[in-house]
Amino acid sequence: MAEHLASIFGTEKDRVNCPFYFKIGACRHGDRCSRLHNRPTISPTLLLSNMYQRPDMITPGVDAQGQPIDPRKIQEHFEDFYEDIFEELSKFGEIESLNVCDNLADHMIGNVYVQFREEDQAAAALQALQGRFYSGRPIIADFSPVTDFREATCRQYEENSCNRGGYCNFMHVKVIGRELRRKLFGRHRRYRGSRSRSRSASPRHRREREYREKSRDRDRDDHRDRNGRRPDRDRYDRESGSRRKHGSPRRSRSPPPAREGSEERRARIEQWNREREEKV
């Protein structure tokens, strides 16, 4: 029974928990929904409800005076808002993703989802946003259950084939330009790369580093200079207790005496015996 409940949690078959709130953090029924909205007490994702105000809020492509708006102006307006929000929220930590809904339904229009790298960063941002205003409107922020935006976004919208239009119940995420994305998110990737190099290396990288160090040691031991001496021996001459002064001539050591054969040793012993008998 427990496995069955776990398998249907957050799906259409779940008659207790609201699947739309679980997937997109919002429900068109709001508090009147017959299913539960399990609001998280902590999450890396924040939902800023109805925050983005499109310049064509009343009729798409037309301003409040009924005049058509150039699509490029609409995109510029959105990217200015996006960059402004990103710069403000990035003060509290590294942003993994920032998504703004292009939906027209009341429970999704202008929703901003910001996902931080760490939960405590999201908590700090939530606390700082309480009681603040943006463009004369209060900011309504809360933790969101959404952590995987692949399940929350409308795939048909990404393929330009959604027949529900702006009233789709899945996210229609507005897209920013490539240059702006590189500008905002590229610096965090560079910072993360430099920070990751300062962390302890993985076991595989440790093994590779140890192998390289051992290889260098072997090469250093095998390498000899033109005088036939190893660099390690030169360092020993400079640093050991019997080190010679810098610039002093090197002492030449006499070669060890040649080892005598067995016949030579017997002849020497006989000679010692004769000399001893003569003295007696």
Side-chain angles (χ1 to χ4, degrees), residues 18-20 26-35 37 107 169:
C18 178
F20 283 101
C27 173
R28 65 179 182 272
H29 300 295
D31 295 335
R32 298 187 304 273
C33 183
S34 60
R35 304 183 191 183
H37 293 176
H107 66 292
N169 285 320

Side-chain angles (χ1 to χ4, degrees), residues 62-167:
V62 179
D63 61 14
Q65 288 74 32
Q67 300 297 324
I69 306 177
D70 187 346
R72 291 176 297 181
K73 295 293 184 181
I74 297 177
Q75 184 66 20
E76 290 177 4
H77 179 273
F78 166 66
E79 292 193 356
D80 289 341
F81 166 84
Y82 192 99
E83 185 174 5
D84 189 19
I85 295 300
F86 190 98
E87 294 289 349
E88 181 64 25
L89 294 177
S90 62
K91 297 176 181 178
F92 305 100
E94 182 177 350
I95 296 177
E96 290 282 343
S97 60
L98 178 63
N99 296 320
V100 181
C101 288
D102 200 26
N103 303 67
L104 297 176
D106 291 340
H107 66 292
M108 296 186 69
I109 185 171
N111 281 1
V112 178
Y113 296 81
V114 53
Q115 185 176 24
F116 289 90
R117 184 171 178 83
E118 303 292 344
E119 291 180 345
D120 57 350
Q121 298 170 350
L126 178 62
Q127 184 178 3
L129 292 174
Q130 299 298 325
R132 293 185 61 180
F133 289 75
Y134 185 84
S135 296
R137 301 172 61 248
I139 299 176
I140 303 174
D142 204 351
F143 289 120
S144 173
V146 181
T147 55
D148 187 356
F149 288 96
R150 293 173 299 179
E151 297 294 328
T153 55
C154 176
R155 294 181 178 85
Q156 287 76 20
Y157 175 77
E158 295 176 347
E159 300 170 357
N160 297 321
S161 61
C162 180
N163 55 14
R164 298 185 181 89
Y167 293 92

Side-chain angles (χ1 to χ4, degrees), residues 50 52-64 69 104 109-110:
N50 311 126
Y52 175 59
Q53 297 290 300
R54 298 167 42 139
D56 54 347
M57 288 289 294
I58 301 175
T59 305
V62 179
D63 61 14
I69 306 177
L104 297 176
I109 185 171

Side-chain angles (χ1 to χ4, degrees), residues 34-50:
S34 60
R35 304 183 191 183
L36 296 178
H37 293 176
N38 294 307
R39 302 181 184 275
T41 57
I42 189 67
S43 173
T45 307
L46 295 182
L47 168 59
L48 312 180
S49 301
N50 311 126

